[in-house]
Amino acid sequence: MRLGANIAAAASVLAGKAMIAAGLRRPPEGWRRTVGILLRSESTRFALSAFGLRVPESGAPIPPGRDPFQFRAARALQAFLASEPDAHFALEWLRPVTNRRRIAVVDFVVLRFGHDGRLEAIDPHLANSGSSAPASDVCARVHDAIVQGYNSTSKLREVDRPCRLLGAVRAALRSAGLRAHEAYAQRLLAASCLSFELIDPSDPAQRFRPPAFAARRTLGFGCLSWVARTGA
């Protein structure tokens, strides 16, 4: 088996080099390869802060049970990312390296955490150009499987967590007879993520401290993550 794996790996490398030489494939970016090997946890990733952002008004009706401000913020950010080429990527977790792969549409998921740090619910905002979501009752069961899988794997190393999360979600869906909806679950796991924090009025300097991204981890395969802090 090891010999066969080595032969397959060598064939893959040679085929890739041939495609690059023929101009059918772009050569890999060296810095991305280095980053993919060495920087695979939240504490080693790049972050950017912005202050005083204003959320635009939205003409879309607010669905029942949704926070109006959070809904408008998520919709506006998702609409912005849809036209950003650098947002059309998801992560591919391999043992030696983490690659990024191009995706056709940019989906967005709002993560709602409890006071104990556990994920309580997810609120997807799917790209209009992508396929439609399943029926609402099916969506609720898929979302519950993702939340449970997230909480059961949230303490694992980032290099292990995404694939373990995906395995837990797949197992839950299959046991529930929802195997046909694994593609929808994988689409959510590859989405960009946003969560909200309220600023404590007694500690206004909180807005200048970096968010605890390691405590607000993404759904595993998305490239981008935001933490938004809102005040009065």
mmCIF file of all heavy atoms in Angstrom, residues 18 20 36 56 76-77 103 106-107 126 144-145 191:
data_model
loop_
_atom_site.group_PDB
_atom_site.id
_atom_site.type_symbol
_atom_site.label_atom_id
_atom_site.label_comp_id
_atom_site.label_asym_id
_atom_site.label_seq_id
_atom_site.Cartn_x
_atom_site.Cartn_y
_atom_site.Cartn_z
ATOM 1 N N ALA A 18 3.895 18.924 -15.498
ATOM 2 C CA ALA A 18 3.646 18.937 -16.938
ATOM 3 C C ALA A 18 2.557 19.950 -17.290
ATOM 4 O O ALA A 18 2.662 20.664 -18.298
ATOM 5 C CB ALA A 18 3.243 17.541 -17.409
ATOM 6 N N ILE A 20 1.808 22.663 -15.604
ATOM 7 C CA ILE A 20 2.378 24.006 -15.441
ATOM 8 C C ILE A 20 3.240 24.368 -16.645
ATOM 9 O O ILE A 20 3.169 25.481 -17.185
ATOM 10 C CB ILE A 20 3.200 24.071 -14.134
ATOM 11 C CG1 ILE A 20 2.272 23.967 -12.920
ATOM 12 C CG2 ILE A 20 4.012 25.368 -14.080
ATOM 13 C CD1 ILE A 20 3.010 23.833 -11.604
ATOM 14 N N GLY A 36 0.562 27.729 4.511
ATOM 15 C CA GLY A 36 -0.292 26.562 4.682
ATOM 16 C C GLY A 36 0.320 25.490 5.538
ATOM 17 O O GLY A 36 -0.385 24.730 6.202
ATOM 18 N N PRO A 56 -25.519 49.533 6.468
ATOM 19 C CA PRO A 56 -26.527 50.183 5.616
ATOM 20 C C PRO A 56 -27.916 49.637 5.884
ATOM 21 O O PRO A 56 -28.096 48.509 6.347
ATOM 22 C CB PRO A 56 -26.058 49.816 4.204
ATOM 23 C CG PRO A 56 -25.281 48.549 4.383
ATOM 24 C CD PRO A 56 -24.608 48.663 5.717
ATOM 25 N N ALA A 76 -25.494 42.652 4.356
ATOM 26 C CA ALA A 76 -24.635 43.624 3.692
ATOM 27 C C ALA A 76 -23.242 43.059 3.462
ATOM 28 O O ALA A 76 -22.649 43.244 2.388
ATOM 29 C CB ALA A 76 -24.560 44.902 4.526
ATOM 30 N N LEU A 77 -22.695 42.357 4.452
ATOM 31 C CA LEU A 77 -21.362 41.791 4.313
ATOM 32 C C LEU A 77 -21.350 40.664 3.285
ATOM 33 O O LEU A 77 -20.422 40.551 2.475
ATOM 34 C CB LEU A 77 -20.867 41.286 5.669
ATOM 35 C CG LEU A 77 -19.406 40.855 5.754
ATOM 36 C CD1 LEU A 77 -18.477 41.928 5.184
ATOM 37 C CD2 LEU A 77 -19.030 40.542 7.196
ATOM 38 N N ILE A 103 -14.055 28.452 -4.815
ATOM 39 C CA ILE A 103 -15.461 28.071 -4.771
ATOM 40 C C ILE A 103 -16.267 29.049 -5.607
ATOM 41 O O ILE A 103 -15.862 30.196 -5.811
ATOM 42 C CB ILE A 103 -15.997 28.027 -3.325
ATOM 43 C CG1 ILE A 103 -15.731 29.349 -2.602
ATOM 44 C CG2 ILE A 103 -15.385 26.867 -2.554
ATOM 45 C CD1 ILE A 103 -16.263 29.402 -1.186
ATOM 46 N N VAL A 106 -20.076 32.640 -2.511
ATOM 47 C CA VAL A 106 -19.686 32.973 -1.143
ATOM 48 C C VAL A 106 -20.924 32.932 -0.255
ATOM 49 O O VAL A 106 -21.815 33.775 -0.386
ATOM 50 C CB VAL A 106 -19.017 34.357 -1.064
ATOM 51 C CG1 VAL A 106 -18.635 34.676 0.377
ATOM 52 C CG2 VAL A 106 -17.785 34.400 -1.947
ATOM 53 N N ASP A 107 -20.979 31.949 0.620
ATOM 54 C CA ASP A 107 -22.057 31.858 1.598
ATOM 55 C C ASP A 107 -21.572 32.434 2.922
ATOM 56 O O ASP A 107 -20.369 32.578 3.171
ATOM 57 C CB ASP A 107 -22.483 30.402 1.787
ATOM 58 C CG ASP A 107 -23.042 29.804 0.506
ATOM 59 O OD1 ASP A 107 -23.874 30.463 -0.128
ATOM 60 O OD2 ASP A 107 -22.638 28.680 0.141
ATOM 61 N N LEU A 126 -27.296 32.428 2.431
ATOM 62 C CA LEU A 126 -26.765 31.788 1.236
ATOM 63 C C LEU A 126 -26.720 32.763 0.070
ATOM 64 O O LEU A 126 -27.563 33.653 -0.063
ATOM 65 C CB LEU A 126 -27.621 30.577 0.865
ATOM 66 C CG LEU A 126 -27.744 29.473 1.921
ATOM 67 C CD1 LEU A 126 -28.589 28.329 1.380
ATOM 68 C CD2 LEU A 126 -26.380 28.980 2.361
ATOM 69 N N ASP A 144 -28.736 21.756 13.497
ATOM 70 C CA ASP A 144 -28.538 21.158 14.818
ATOM 71 C C ASP A 144 -27.372 20.185 14.797
ATOM 72 O O ASP A 144 -26.580 20.142 15.753
ATOM 73 C CB ASP A 144 -29.825 20.450 15.250
ATOM 74 C CG ASP A 144 -29.727 19.904 16.671
ATOM 75 O OD1 ASP A 144 -29.537 20.714 17.605
ATOM 76 O OD2 ASP A 144 -29.824 18.669 16.853
ATOM 77 N N ALA A 145 -27.236 19.418 13.717
ATOM 78 C CA ALA A 145 -26.110 18.486 13.614
ATOM 79 C C ALA A 145 -24.782 19.240 13.580
ATOM 80 O O ALA A 145 -23.788 18.812 14.185
ATOM 81 C CB ALA A 145 -26.259 17.625 12.360
ATOM 82 N N ALA A 191 -18.505 28.074 4.652
ATOM 83 C CA ALA A 191 -18.938 29.472 4.572
ATOM 84 C C ALA A 191 -18.050 30.382 5.419
ATOM 85 O O ALA A 191 -17.408 29.942 6.383
ATOM 86 C CB ALA A 191 -20.390 29.590 5.036
#
